[in-house]
Amino acid sequence: MAASGSVSMLLASTLTVLLFAGMQMYKTQLASSEWMTVLGGFLGSNLFILILTAVNNFEYVAFGKGFQARLFPEVVVCLVLAMFASSLVHRVCVTTCAIFSIVALYYVNKISSSTYAPVVTVTPQQSGKKKK
């Protein structure tokens, strides 16, 4: 069962704050080794998806059903915010956050396109020539 726009916005906002707080609480552990910095970037990309979800649901509630997120300003601003949050942990987390976020954005777009895109049916047209 899907949540409504306002409930989804509230959940995404709450999870964003909790994930950011967790990243700040464990930033010494996340910066301790190479693999942990990669994990920090992965957490940053999850932060990006949560921020993007919260922003888009806010726009859905405020502007109506037909509103869509665009590359600029929504996606770019959310990516910059997530990369800034990752930069507070470690410099390498910024790079891995950007990479993971671009991959996650591709898959979110792919899922969204398959779910919400209108179904287009193509009817074959007959040529003007008749077979004898």
Side-chain angles (χ1 to χ4, degrees):
M1 183 172 121
S4 68
S6 57
V7 172
S8 179
M9 178 184 66
L10 182 65
L11 286 172
S13 301
T14 304
L15 289 173
T16 298
V17 170
L18 288 174
L19 184 57
F20 178 73
M23 287 174 69
Q24 291 305 303
M25 281 177 29
Y26 294 106
K27 74 179 181 180
T28 55
Q29 288 87 354
L30 288 172
S32 65
S33 70
E34 294 175 2
W35 289 106
M36 292 300 281
T37 56
V38 172
L39 177 65
F42 181 72
L43 292 174
S45 76
N46 287 330
L47 190 67
F48 164 70
I49 294 297
L50 288 171
I51 294 170
L52 187 62
T53 302
V55 167
N56 286 332
N57 285 322
F58 172 74
E59 290 173 344
Y60 171 77
V61 169
F63 302 126
K65 189 172 185 170
F67 200 82
Q68 286 182 323
R70 292 177 198 82
L71 183 63
F72 185 79
E74 290 96 357
V75 173
V76 172
V77 168
C78 293
L79 183 61
V80 167
L81 285 173
M83 289 172 65
F84 178 74
S86 296
S87 73
L88 295 175
V89 175
H90 195 273
R91 292 179 299 192
V92 177
C93 291
V94 177
T95 308
T96 56
C97 173
I99 293 168
F100 284 132
S101 296
I102 290 170
V103 171
L105 185 63
Y106 169 76
Y107 283 108
V108 165
N109 187 27
K110 188 175 177 182
I111 292 168
S112 176
S113 295
S114 67
T115 304
Y116 297 110
V119 177
V120 178
T121 57
V122 178
T123 57
Q125 295 185 5
Q126 296 180 359
S127 63
K129 298 178 183 178
K130 292 184 178 179
K131 290 186 177 181
K132 291 184 180 184

